[in-house]
Amino acid sequence: MKFLLVAILACTASAFHLARPSVTARPSTQLYEDFGFSFAEQTYENQPDPLKGEAEYKQWVNKFAPDNLMNRKYNVIRRVRELDLLKATAEQGILSKLEAQGLSLETIEEILPLAEKLGLLSLAGNNQQLLVNGVAPLVVEGAPILLPLVSGALAVGPPAFYLAAAGTASLELFLLSSHAEIPFVGLSAGAVLGLLLVPATVALAAVGAALGSLKIKK
């Protein structure tokens, strides 16, 4: 009787015994520049610091030339002060004309959440180097010429920006259709100048559309 009871308990225990999951070793996917050969070397371990990529090179250059061209940033505030752009903006009445077109501080506060939702602010934050050293010099250095033109366009309204967009687009189409080339270089003028004309066309049309929508809301 005892033997039968022990056998029943043993069967019950074995029935509820959970099988231990088998652990299979996954093969390593780490890559090596020596391809596993004993006679080869890891390039990154033996090469000088300046040759270990762009980030390493910039750090190395900063050690003996902090004011180098690779790491230098365009000083927007200093150039705005030197060109006296704030005074020029006030003299041209840019802010008052923008407000007359419907762009007030309240409108800007309403636009900012939309810009953040569309990811525009994050995009600008992730491309600070490009904006500071690429876009800012074009805008700031050209501001003494652009401010009177912008002031006149704002006085007219959206049609002025649409007309300017049509002008830049027409110029780009003319350069492409005429197969014009840049002298002494031989490059296509339509392709090279298109790097400026196409974004300018899009920007001017977008400004015109934005001002038109503000007029409708107003």
Side-chain angles (χ1 to χ4, degrees):
M1 187 66 178
K2 291 182 179 181
F3 178 75
L4 180 60
L5 182 59
V6 172
I8 294 172
L9 292 175
C11 292
T12 305
S14 62
F16 286 96
H17 177 68
L18 298 177
R20 186 176 182 180
S22 60
V23 179
T24 57
R26 298 181 60 184
S28 176
T29 58
Q30 186 175 2
L31 301 178
Y32 297 92
E33 291 182 339
D34 56 7
F35 298 99
F37 296 108
S38 58
F39 58 84
E41 296 180 349
Q42 295 289 344
T43 306
Y44 197 83
E45 296 177 358
N46 299 317
Q47 66 185 3
D49 290 339
L51 302 179
K52 293 181 179 179
E54 182 180 355
E56 293 280 355
Y57 182 71
K58 288 183 177 180
Q59 294 177 6
W60 177 74
V61 172
N62 279 337
K63 293 179 181 178
F64 63 89
D67 190 23
N68 57 82
L69 293 176
M70 293 190 63
N71 297 286
R72 183 181 301 172
K73 291 185 177 181
Y74 181 76
N75 196 328
V76 179
I77 298 177
R78 180 173 61 84
R79 289 299 295 158
V80 168
R81 187 184 301 113
E82 291 174 352
L83 296 174
D84 205 6
L85 295 183
L86 295 180
K87 180 180 178 181
T89 302
E91 291 177 349
Q92 294 294 335
I94 301 292
L95 298 180
S96 59
K97 291 177 181 178
L98 283 174
E99 190 171 356
Q101 293 293 333
L103 184 62
S104 60
L105 293 177
E106 292 78 7
T107 307
I108 296 177
E109 292 177 355
E110 295 176 359
I111 294 175
L112 288 177
L114 178 60
E116 178 63 28
K117 185 177 180 180
L118 295 176
L120 299 179
L121 299 182
S122 301
L123 180 63
N126 295 331
N127 295 276
Q128 293 183 20
Q129 192 76 6
L130 176 62
L131 294 175
V132 171
N133 291 330
V135 179
L138 296 175
V139 176
V140 174
E141 300 299 332
I145 300 174
L146 294 176
L147 283 177
L149 299 177
V150 172
S151 177
L154 288 174
V156 175
F161 291 93
Y162 289 136
L163 182 61
T168 54
S170 300
L171 178 59
E172 174 64 13
L173 291 175
F174 171 76
L175 293 175
L176 291 175
S177 61
S178 63
H179 303 287
E181 294 184 351
I182 299 178
F184 308 109
V185 180
L187 297 176
S188 172
V192 176
L193 296 179
L195 298 176
L196 295 176
L197 293 176
V198 173
T201 301
V202 175
L204 290 170
V207 172
L211 292 178
S213 63
L214 291 177
K215 281 286 188 180
I216 294 175
K217 291 182 180 179
K218 187 177 177 181

